[in-house]
Amino acid sequence: MGGRQELILGIESSCDETGCAVVAGGRDVRANRVASQVDLHARFGGVVPEVASRAHLEVITAIIDDALEESGTAAPDIAAVAVANEPGLIGSLLVGLSAAKALAWGWSKPLIGVNHIHAHACAPALAGDPVTYPAAALVCSGGHTSLYHCRGPADLQLLGATIDDAAGEAFDKVATILGLGYPGGPAVDRAAAGGDPRAVAFPRTLLDPSSLDFSFSGLKTAVRYHVEGVPGTAAAPGARRGRECLDDTAIRDIAASFQQAVVDVLIEKLRRAVERTAAASIIIGGGVAANTALRAAAAELARETGCPLHCPPPAYCTDNAAMIAALGWHHFTRGAVSGLDLAAAATIKR
Ligand code: KG4
Ligand code: ZN
């Protein structure tokens, strides 16, 4: 990294977390502030886009002030302003992007647009865990499940992605089916800890043998049918259906079996990516990378393949602005800065 230590102010608002961070040299976190909207969306069982944008708007200025104060920095110290401008909820992205543009313009600093999913793959460096490249990176979150061949922190080639639900989305929906509450991923993780992952044989959708894409909607439906019965079919005489008929053991077993099915698919695709790209190391990131079973299975894959695993601590797996500042620094050092006409994009082309 050549010893360069420019301070980048990063802003994240792509979904339901408002974040601002100050990071030096792409790895040294001076401040990392996150305001979560989890409580706001809990009663809806998912993120409501309009509610999310308004909540970002209410806190973004205070979060930026907090990050500057905590890091002891002021405008002259900051080399550039990095912002997640894609992909995400468009209204949410626009709040962070507008704030970043205002700062960049007011402070006369470069603006740097950052891909939120690529930034997840940059998170290990924030925990003092530098990655050896080329790396195979699995980023799985509430909105995305993507596999990359990374030649460097800012040089990612997409190998595969979900064709329907994201892994985190499946966790969230299964948590709702099982009545485990919101956010679903951590709740399923906790419930699964006491369950038998072999109790229910849920499907593993691997698609084509050569495919590195994912599909989780069938698994989600399989859990629903297991709990509620297959629509149009009669329950066996005397049999009862529905979540309220399940005891705690049954819920834990279903949670563990579902989680194992997700992990088996994620790890199988990651294994294929490692082999196909002759990766020197493995990265996992995104909110689902906080999952206990996935972390354990990825560690096992690392042992089997001899590729070191880079898996950030949970606080850097879930959405944060430090990872935006980290990837922003790599863009900055390559001169990849954006204009003040930078647009937000809800989706990205494959
Ligand atoms: O990366 P992230 O914070 O936000 C997005 O970019 O979407 O990921 C959030 C997702 C949610 O679906 C959440 O349920 C899931 O990550 N998640 C987990 C765990 N912690 C968060 N999924 C499984 N196990 C966990 N421990
Ligand atoms: Zn994310």
Side-chain angles (χ1 to χ4, degrees):
M1 293 192 183
R4 292 176 63 175
Q5 286 293 314
E6 292 93 346
L7 286 172
I8 306 293
L9 181 131
I11 294 180
E12 157 63 33
S13 69
S14 64
C15 189
D16 61 342
E17 258 100 31
T18 321
C20 182
V22 177
V23 178
R27 59 186 189 280
D28 178 8
V29 181
R30 304 286 173 85
N32 182 31
R33 290 297 182 124
V34 183
S36 172
Q37 303 175 7
V38 160
D39 295 343
L40 209 54
H41 300 289
R43 68 189 170 109
F44 303 108
V47 178
V48 182
E50 289 76 10
V51 173
S53 328
R54 281 166 196 270
H56 284 304
L57 201 54
E58 279 166 16
V59 301
I60 189 119
T61 313
I63 286 286
I64 293 168
D65 286 344
D66 286 352
L68 286 170
E69 191 184 324
E70 186 187 329
S71 61
T73 49
D77 311 316
I78 302 291
V81 179
V83 60
N85 70 310
E86 60 176 18
L89 301 171
I90 195 72
S92 292
L93 286 167
L94 283 169
V95 175
L97 181 57
S98 305
K101 284 180 179 178
L103 288 180
W105 183 70
W107 293 348
S108 300
K109 304 288 179 183
L111 176 72
I112 300 169
V114 168
N115 178 305
H116 172 95
I117 313 179
H118 293 187
H120 272 299
C122 255
L126 301 168
D129 180 20
V131 173
T132 317
Y133 293 94
L138 170 69
V139 178
C140 32
S141 67
H144 302 275
T145 307
S146 306
L147 258 181
Y148 292 99
H149 171 53
C150 311
R151 293 188 199 85
D155 184 358
L156 284 77
Q157 180 198 344
L158 186 66
L159 300 170
T162 184
I163 58 169
D164 43 53
D165 290 356
E169 193 179 347
F171 268 95
D172 293 334
K173 286 179 178 161
V174 164
T176 304
I177 294 167
L178 295 177
L180 293 173
Y182 176 86
V188 170
D189 197 345
R190 280 193 300 276
D196 176 3
R198 287 175 308 261
V200 189
F202 288 125
R204 272 76 170 153
T205 308
L206 292 168
L207 303 170
D208 188 76
S210 65
S211 172
L212 292 177
D213 287 332
F214 302 88
S215 167
F216 292 109
S217 70
L219 172 59
K220 175 194 66 188
T221 306
V223 175
R224 181 177 295 284
Y225 287 179
H226 181 81
V227 172
E228 298 168 6
V230 180
T233 62
R240 295 187 306 142
R241 284 173 165 177
R243 151 77 182 82
E244 46 293 332
C245 302
L246 300 172
D247 61 18
D248 285 353
T249 305
I251 288 179
R252 283 198 288 268
D253 285 349
I254 295 168
S257 301
F258 156 77
Q259 178 174 273
Q260 193 59 50
V262 175
V263 169
D264 284 353
V265 170
L266 292 173
I267 293 296
E268 173 56 23
K269 301 283 173 152
L270 187 51
R271 179 194 309 279
R272 290 180 188 176
V274 169
E275 287 167 2
R276 205 167 298 174
T277 64
S281 65
I282 298 171
I283 300 171
I284 62 169
V288 181
N291 183 265
T292 319
L294 179 60
R295 294 170 85 89
E300 182 55 32
L301 177 66
R303 271 191 294 277
E304 285 170 21
T305 58
C307 291
L309 171 67
H310 302 280
C311 177
Y316 289 135
C317 286
T318 48
D319 287 350
N320 65 88
M323 66 184 193
I324 306 297
L327 180 51
W329 179 80
H330 289 286
H331 290 322
F332 178 75
T333 57
R334 291 150 52 115
V337 300
S338 318
L340 284 176
D341 58 349
L342 179 66
T347 54
I348 38 173
K349 290 193 205 86
R350 289 201 63 171

